[in-house]
Amino acid sequence: MRKTGALSARSDSSAKDLTWCTDAYHDKKIICLLLFFATVLLVDGQCEAGARFPIYKIIAPNVQFWEKIYGTYSSGQGVLHDKNDLSIIYAVIDFVPRNIPGAGTVNAQLEKMVRMRHENILKKFADGKKPSTREEKKVYAFFKGKQMPAVFREASENMRLQIGLKDTFRKGVIRSGAYMPLIKKIMRARNLPVELAYLPHVESSFNLNAHSKAAAVGLWQFVKHTGREYMAINELVDERFDVYLSSMAAARFLKENYRQLGSWPLALTAYNYGRAGMVRAQEKWGTYPRIIANHQTRIFKFASKNFYSEFIAAVRVARRLENDRSLVKDRPWINVTFRLPNYAPATELTDYFGISDEEFERLNPAIRGSVLEERAIV
């Protein structure tokens, strides 16, 4: 059994390369085109991954939306927006703090009131009526060039509320300091883009104990079915909770996604949607932008369509925070691995290494609680 201590690795800065193609006759023309291409990819100056992680025109509003969710709006705010066009934000609701008695009921009523007001405005337009108030004119302007009854009717049914994540994301960046050097080292060792190390910001906010409604757990939010392809998950251990082993698994999984799909936007979307489903989507539609524009299945919905956009936004916001000197990140831990040839009582190990039961459990998060209670490990 590996003894997982705190993690440590060198933090190397990622190189940013741009391959220049020239030829004697078209030199100036090609360089100009490449400069234009780089400018498109570096919109707002933050997507440093270049052509590997392009910001397509179809998802540019989505990336900007998630940057606001991660960097502007707090968990005490709800953003009411259009589910299909994320450039349309109807209202930002300031909720009552959750620690105040009755806050849940009050906040539910606030959301209902704001939602109904905007639904009524959109239904008014769907009935062919024109805006009369300042708020109605603002909503009407969102649909410039497509102000038709059918569009407004559909929009009235497509509102969605997203809770802000600014404070949660900031805490995630602080926590990431303990793990990011190791994860980047793993990615580099497998010739993968280091930007992939930022994916846990989307998946778990670098919370080792994160659980989802879909029973995904750990830093990388593996479900059991996928996790078992790359890690040990049994009655003794669940390696999804081990930072090193789960990061190794994520690197292998992402590399295989890329090998089969040939692009990082598709490989990352497959991380959420599933590799087989994304292969079918690629066979039908070809490119990532066409898939986003046209692909529809029972499970290819808001989360899958936005997953790549969330990743790009997370990289950009996290890097800005990492450059904020007022933010002090957790320091990397020291990591030592021991492999035991056979069973050994946990009490002997804690005595040998001079650590408490609590410390032993913290340093070995993959070991199941039932095993620790029996005081024996494999």
Side-chain angles (χ1 to χ4, degrees), residues 38 41-50 53-55 308 312 315-316 319:
L41 293 178
L42 297 173
V43 60
D44 294 333
Q46 290 297 322
C47 185
E48 299 178 7
F53 301 106
I55 303 176
Y308 176 65
I312 294 295
V315 173
R316 296 169 72 157
R319 282 180 165 167

Side-chain angles (χ1 to χ4, degrees), residues 217-252:
V217 302
L219 208 68
W220 296 90
Q221 290 291 282
F222 277 101
V223 295
K224 278 186 180 180
H225 174 73
T226 306
R228 281 183 173 136
E229 296 181 32
Y230 303 95
M231 295 171 282
I233 302 173
N234 53 45
E235 69 278 4
L236 298 175
V237 297
D238 188 341
E239 292 179 347
R240 292 177 295 174
F241 291 103
D242 185 292
V243 174
Y244 175 76
L245 294 174
S246 65
S247 297
M248 292 276 285
R252 289 173 57 200

Side-chain angles (χ1 to χ4, degrees), residues 67-78:
E67 281 195 77
K68 292 176 183 177
I69 296 300
Y70 292 145
T72 301
Y73 303 119
S74 74
S75 59
Q77 296 176 298

Side-chain angles (χ1 to χ4, degrees), residues 1-136:
M1 171 58 62
R2 65 187 301 275
K3 175 186 179 293
T4 306
L7 307 171
S8 175
R10 287 198 314 273
S11 177
D12 302 319
S13 59
S14 59
K16 296 182 278 291
D17 299 321
L18 179 61
T19 302
W20 292 87
C21 301
T22 60
D23 91 10
Y25 184 75
H26 296 290
D27 185 61
K28 291 183 179 179
K29 181 178 180 181
I30 291 176
I31 289 177
C32 288
L33 286 172
L34 282 170
L35 284 172
F36 173 75
F37 183 57
T39 302
V40 172
L41 293 178
L42 297 173
V43 60
D44 294 333
Q46 290 297 322
C47 185
E48 299 178 7
R52 292 174 300 184
F53 301 106
I55 303 176
Y56 299 104
K57 182 178 179 181
I58 193 171
I59 64 165
N62 303 46
V63 174
Q64 292 172 8
F65 173 84
W66 289 109
E67 281 195 77
K68 292 176 183 177
I69 296 300
Y70 292 145
T72 301
Y73 303 119
S74 74
S75 59
Q77 296 176 298
V79 181
L80 187 67
H81 65 94
D82 186 271
K83 187 166 57 177
N84 296 328
D85 185 349
L86 271 60
S87 69
I88 299 176
I89 295 177
Y90 296 109
V92 178
I93 307 169
D94 292 316
F95 288 125
V96 174
R98 296 189 186 108
N99 60 349
I100 294 178
T105 301
V106 173
N107 289 336
Q109 290 299 317
L110 274 173
E111 179 188 343
K112 183 179 180 180
M113 180 180 67
V114 175
R115 187 185 289 267
M116 285 186 64
R117 186 170 76 244
H118 285 85
E119 278 183 5
N120 290 335
I121 290 173
L122 291 166
K123 287 176 180 177
K124 173 181 176 179
F125 300 155
D127 291 336
K129 298 176 182 177
K130 298 298 182 182
S132 54
T133 68
R134 182 177 179 179
E135 185 174 36
E136 289 176 354

Side-chain angles (χ1 to χ4, degrees), residues 66-72 165-166 169 201-202 310 313-314 317:
W66 289 109
E67 281 195 77
K68 292 176 183 177
I69 296 300
Y70 292 145
T72 301
L165 295 168
K166 179 181 178 180
F169 196 89
H201 280 302
V202 179
E310 290 184 60
V317 176

Side-chain angles (χ1 to χ4, degrees), residues 325-337:
R325 294 185 178 181
S326 68
L327 185 142
V328 180
K329 295 182 292 181
D330 292 346
R331 298 185 65 179
W333 298 350
I334 296 170
N335 181 65
V336 182
T337 300

Side-chain angles (χ1 to χ4, degrees), residues 271-333:
Y271 193 94
N272 175 270
Y273 180 54
R275 186 187 299 149
M278 191 51 55
V279 167
R280 289 192 294 270
Q282 186 184 44
E283 289 172 349
K284 183 174 183 179
W285 300 108
T287 64
Y288 174 84
R290 292 192 66 202
I291 290 171
I292 295 300
N294 301 297
H295 192 55
Q296 293 182 357
T297 70
R298 182 177 56 84
I299 58 174
F300 192 74
K301 294 185 178 180
F302 185 84
S304 295
K305 286 184 177 181
N306 277 273
F307 194 76
Y308 176 65
S309 298
E310 290 184 60
F311 166 75
I312 294 295
V315 173
R316 296 169 72 157
V317 176
R319 282 180 165 167
R320 286 199 290 267
L321 287 171
E322 288 171 349
N323 291 324
D324 181 353
R325 294 185 178 181
S326 68
L327 185 142
V328 180
K329 295 182 292 181
D330 292 346
R331 298 185 65 179
W333 298 350

Side-chain angles (χ1 to χ4, degrees), residues 347-363:
T347 50
E348 288 186 12
L349 296 174
T350 55
D351 291 343
Y352 181 82
F353 290 107
I355 58 176
S356 66
D357 294 346
E358 292 75 18
E359 184 72 357
F360 181 82
E361 183 175 358
R362 183 181 71 83
L363 296 176

